[in-house]
């Protein structure tokens, strides 16, 4: 069953607030081999002008995937998760994520197209502060 092209342009409600924590940043940094002390040492991060430790750039995927779940599980979209293949992902950072940030994310179905008998879906997720300031776009 192909993905419903009618969902193209649909934006799903924002996720509940995600609190970026030092612990989660440290765990993610260790998992991806990001050894810079800016990810784990508060004093070092502050000496560089940050309010707290800084998340590695790809940390945003944790937040984005929570929002993308709304599109993937939308019965009207018709996305079969068991047949899903992740093609690529990019991050446009407007500023670094730091411990203490309170953010939300909203996903939009940017494009639905057919290719070789398969559906190709492009999602765009905007991560913002709870006040609406742009933090990162995940495409």
């Amino acid at each position: 069953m192909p993905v419903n092209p009618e969902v193209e342009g649909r934006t799903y409600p924002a996720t509940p607030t995600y609190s970026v924590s030092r612990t989660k940043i440290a765990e993610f940094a260790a998992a991806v081999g990001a050894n810079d002390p800016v990810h784990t040492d508060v004093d070092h991060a502050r000496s560089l002008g940050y309010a707290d430790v800084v998340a590695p750039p790809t940390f945003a995927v944790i937040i984005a995937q929570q929002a993308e779940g709304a599109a993937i599980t939308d019965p009207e979209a018709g996305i079969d998760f068991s047949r899903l293949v992740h093609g690529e992902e990019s991050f446009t950072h407007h500023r670094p994520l730091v411990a203490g940030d309170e953010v939300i994310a909203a996903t939009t179905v940017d494009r639905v197209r057919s290719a070789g008998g398969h559906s190709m879906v492009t999602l765009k997720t905007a991560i913002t502060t709870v006040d609406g300031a742009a933090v990162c776009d995940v495409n």
Side-chain angles (χ1 to χ4, degrees):
M1 174 181 190
V3 174
N4 179 1
E6 303 269 329
V7 298
E8 186 171 296
R10 182 177 292 179
T11 298
Y12 293 85
T15 59
T17 301
Y18 182 92
S19 299
V20 180
S21 74
R22 290 177 184 165
T23 300
K24 290 296 181 192
I25 289 173
E27 290 171 351
F28 190 88
V32 299
N35 299 319
D36 190 314
V38 74
H39 305 305
T40 55
D41 183 332
V42 177
D43 292 332
H44 179 70
R46 288 184 177 153
S47 76
L48 296 174
Y50 299 105
D52 212 308
V53 294
V54 178
T58 55
F59 181 89
V61 74
I62 294 170
I63 303 158
Q65 285 183 344
Q66 291 177 12
E68 292 161 359
I72 292 168
T73 60
D74 178 358
E76 287 184 40
I79 297 172
D80 181 354
F81 190 74
S82 71
R83 299 177 54 82
L84 184 96
V85 176
H86 185 267
E88 63 182 77
E89 193 159 40
S90 65
F91 301 87
T92 302
H93 290 276
H94 304 286
R95 69 158 179 82
L97 280 161
V98 298
D101 278 343
E102 300 278 322
V103 296
I104 56 174
T107 294
T108 299
V109 178
D110 188 53
R111 186 170 183 211
V112 177
R113 67 182 178 91
S114 183
H118 301 283
S119 295
M120 306 287 285
V121 180
T122 303
L123 303 177
K124 292 191 173 192
T125 301
I127 300 172
T128 65
T129 65
V130 293
D131 297 328
V135 177
C136 181
D137 296 319
V138 182
N139 302 314

